[in-house]
Amino acid sequence: MAAHPQDPGAPDAPYLAFWQQRHLCTLTTLRPDGSPHVVPVGVTYDPEARLARVITLKSSVKVRHVLAAGPDGARVAVCQVDGGRWATLEGRAYVRTEPERVGDAERRYAERYGRTPTPNPDRVVIEIELTRAMGRG
């Protein structure tokens, strides 16, 4: 059992508020040899859809790792920390290229981070279908 568990589809109010504040996050993917690859990212959290989203370029290493996992998706985690507050979301990641999904992710990013991403035709979204949430908001 995870310490400080949360329901990824119905987190408590402090946890959700923490995910709505502007914080830099990390995304952990697995390399082909099984070692973790951890990079800074912006993440948006949508508990109603049980999704976390990361916008990125289709040529990124994180995208290659997710695609290498195959059609069942890649097991990943996103995390953010601020002093004693921390939050982790885990699940299966998939790379989405559909313009409406990328546009939705860009809009959510702009809401959370206070800036609209520069248009880029090479942008994709990593959608994480959430299976676990933990932390203290």
Side-chain angles (χ1 to χ4, degrees), residues 42 44 51-58 63 66-67 93-106 108 122-128:
T44 60
L51 288 176
R53 295 174 179 90
V54 175
I55 57 174
T56 189
L57 298 180
K58 64 183 172 185
V63 165
V66 172
L67 292 174
Y94 302 88
V95 176
R96 307 295 189 199
T97 60
E98 300 90 342
E100 64 279 1
R101 288 180 120 135
V102 174
D104 180 50
E106 290 171 330
R108 291 169 185 277
D122 292 328
R123 183 168 292 126
V124 298
V125 59
I126 297 173
E127 287 185 351
I128 305 164

Side-chain angles (χ1 to χ4, degrees), residues 58-131:
K58 64 183 172 185
S59 61
S60 71
V61 171
K62 56 189 157 288
V63 165
R64 288 197 307 264
H65 291 164
V66 172
L67 292 174
D72 290 334
R75 295 193 64 187
V76 303
V78 290
C79 183
Q80 65 182 19
V81 176
D82 182 34
R85 299 183 306 159
W86 63 277
T88 300
L89 300 169
E90 298 178 15
R92 293 262 174 202
Y94 302 88
V95 176
R96 307 295 189 199
T97 60
E98 300 90 342
E100 64 279 1
R101 288 180 120 135
V102 174
D104 180 50
E106 290 171 330
R107 180 186 58 76
R108 291 169 185 277
Y109 178 94
E111 287 175 7
R112 182 173 189 202
Y113 291 98
R115 71 170 196 83
T116 301
T118 304
N120 190 324
D122 292 328
R123 183 168 292 126
V124 298
V125 59
I126 297 173
E127 287 185 351
I128 305 164
E129 295 178 359
L130 301 174
T131 57

